[in-house]
Amino acid sequence: MDDGKIWLPNRRDLLLGAAVAFAGLAVGGSIGSAAARADTAGQPDWRFCGNCNGLFFSGANGNYYRQNQRCSAGGLHDPMGFNFVLPHDTAETATAQKDWRFCGNCNGLFFSGANGDYYRQNQRCSAGGLHDPMGFNFVLPHDTAETATAQKDWRFCGNCNGLFFSGANGDYYRQNQRCPAGGLHDPMGFNFVLPHQAAQQDSMTADERKIADAINSTREQVGCSGALQVDSRLVAVARAHSQDLADHPGPPGLWETGTLNRQGHTGSDGSQPGDRIAKAVGSPGTENVYVAWLLGGDPGPPVQGALNYWLENTPQHHDHRDNALNCAHKSTGVGISKGSGVIPQGQQNAGQQAIFYYFTQVFHD
């Protein structure tokens, strides 16, 4: 199965600053408890929404006033990627803007201005009407360097006063930049750089780790400097795709979708590798997939079979090998899932039930 190289002042002198908490509301613990968890670094549990590109407060378990997590794309927000930690109630500076507030109606973050009336008519809420400012006064960093724990390209929208992720050129999933005022967001002002928690570096099983280690060893042999780092977000992407394949065994199986030697990359929702990776980490990457079936017992995942398939130096497999040995890649995740299915036509023992193992490894620069 081949790679899935598919791939994530201004007019108003404004922009971001501040992060909202919500003192005094009940939260699954209580907003008081959310405030208590917010240390001097700021308040965690602010998330990117994969449906509208906006920032919203999800709470520790993703269910803080879940019914209020209104998305301008319709329905509720879909949390993805980093867990952002927003500074609040600190001094405004030349690179940090205050008066960003939590909205009690939609759980989103918006710019209210000092008196709450900054272009009040533009403070459009996806729950309907205008935003309702509550809790902390967030002070958002802007126009500083992006780091491993701070993401740039968050922008103020001149149509709704909300904060959304635009990407470097303003076109990150542009069709998803849904504005409550109608149409798409209008980026203005500062380029906000939001602090976030570091991604967990490892969460793989022993078999998944064997694949990552073997790929790193081969990369070292061909001259790549620095091992691929395991990113838990990419592990989640890889596992979810392997499980998606396992959940749709057919016949024909989901893994059979695609042209010869390029099967297995399309998700049951029609997604491609670049889509899934970008939603998790902000930009596309590449993917290798392998499927194996076993008759007469289950010795466990055939890890070596996957490695042999991906690293075989033949024209048939060069895309897999290129993905694995691309020295520009810096991070990875591996996922293995088990299921049952029917051996496809044209293969030995076709039509028989067998144990199937699905392997996915994804890569990101």
Side-chain angles (χ1 to χ4, degrees):
M1 284 131 231
D2 205 40
D3 77 293
K5 293 180 184 173
I6 316 173
W7 158 138
L8 344 218
N10 38 60
R11 180 178 93 184
R12 294 183 185 167
D13 225 10
L14 35 118
L15 287 226
L16 308 13
V20 172
F22 332 134
L25 301 182
V27 189
S30 88
I31 251 312
S33 72
R37 292 193 315 115
D39 58 17
T40 54
Q43 186 187 43
D45 302 326
W46 286 88
R47 305 297 301 279
F48 166 83
C49 172
N51 294 327
C52 71
N53 284 28
L55 189 73
F56 75 101
F57 184 75
S58 68
N61 300 313
N63 59 2
Y64 179 78
Y65 276 78
R66 179 63 177 151
Q67 69 278 13
N68 278 22
Q69 295 179 20
R70 305 294 183 79
C71 179
S72 51
L76 302 180
H77 287 300
D78 183 14
M80 295 185 165
F82 296 130
N83 184 323
F84 291 95
V85 182
L86 302 188
H88 59 82
D89 300 296
T90 60
E92 186 173 52
T93 71
T95 57
Q97 185 186 42
K98 65 180 181 180
D99 299 327
W100 285 88
R101 305 296 301 278
F102 165 85
C103 173
N105 293 329
C106 70
N107 284 26
L109 187 70
F110 75 101
F111 184 75
S112 68
N115 301 311
D117 57 3
Y118 181 79
Y119 276 77
R120 180 62 178 153
Q121 70 277 15
N122 277 22
Q123 295 179 20
R124 306 293 183 80
C125 178
S126 45
L130 302 180
H131 287 298
D132 182 16
M134 304 180 75
F136 298 139
N137 185 321
F138 292 93
V139 184
L140 303 188
H142 60 80
D143 299 297
T144 60
E146 186 174 51
T147 71
T149 55
Q151 184 184 47
K152 65 180 181 179
D153 298 326
W154 286 88
R155 306 297 300 278
F156 166 85
C157 173
N159 294 328
C160 70
N161 285 26
L163 186 68
F164 75 102
F165 184 73
S166 68
N169 301 312
D171 57 2
Y172 179 76
Y173 274 77
R174 180 63 178 151
Q175 70 277 15
N176 278 22
Q177 295 178 21
R178 307 292 183 80
C179 179
L184 302 179
H185 288 299
D186 182 17
M188 304 181 75
F190 299 139
N191 185 320
F192 292 92
V193 185
L194 302 188
H196 57 78
Q197 295 177 353
Q200 296 178 10
Q201 293 304 301
D202 205 342
S203 57
M204 295 193 299
T205 66
D207 287 317
E208 291 166 345
R209 167 54 67 183
K210 286 178 186 176
I211 289 177
D213 288 347
I215 294 295
N216 270 331
S217 177
T218 307
R219 287 166 60 86
E220 183 178 10
Q221 293 170 23
V222 300
C224 292
S225 61
L228 290 169
Q229 298 300 302
V230 175
D231 186 325
S232 61
R233 297 168 299 166
L234 296 179
V235 174
V237 170
R239 284 180 175 169
H241 185 58
S242 289
Q243 190 59 50
D244 193 19
L245 296 176
D247 289 342
H248 298 85
L254 180 62
W255 67 270
E256 297 176 79
T257 302
T259 59
L260 183 63
N261 297 319
R262 295 179 181 272
Q263 298 112 316
H265 295 292
T266 301
S268 60
D269 60 355
S271 65
Q272 297 298 317
D275 304 327
R276 297 186 291 267
I277 296 167
K279 279 195 169 185
V281 298
S283 58
T286 60
E287 173 185 89
N288 285 340
V289 172
Y290 174 74
V291 61
W293 51 85
L294 305 171
L295 284 172
D298 180 12
V303 169
Q304 194 59 50
L307 291 168
N308 292 344
Y309 185 83
W310 291 338
L311 295 176
E312 185 177 346
N313 194 9
T314 64
Q316 179 183 356
H317 297 287
H318 69 89
D319 285 331
H320 301 115
R321 186 177 174 86
D322 287 350
N323 284 345
L325 304 184
N326 183 344
C327 294
H329 291 328
K330 299 294 186 271
S331 55
T332 191
V334 181
I336 303 173
S337 289
K338 176 183 175 181
S340 61
V342 176
I343 298 175
Q345 295 300 313
Q347 303 293 327
Q348 188 175 3
N349 300 311
Q352 292 192 39
Q353 282 288 138
I355 295 169
F356 277 63
Y357 278 99
Y358 303 89
F359 297 75
T360 302
Q361 182 170 20
V362 295
F363 306 90
H364 189 255
D365 293 352

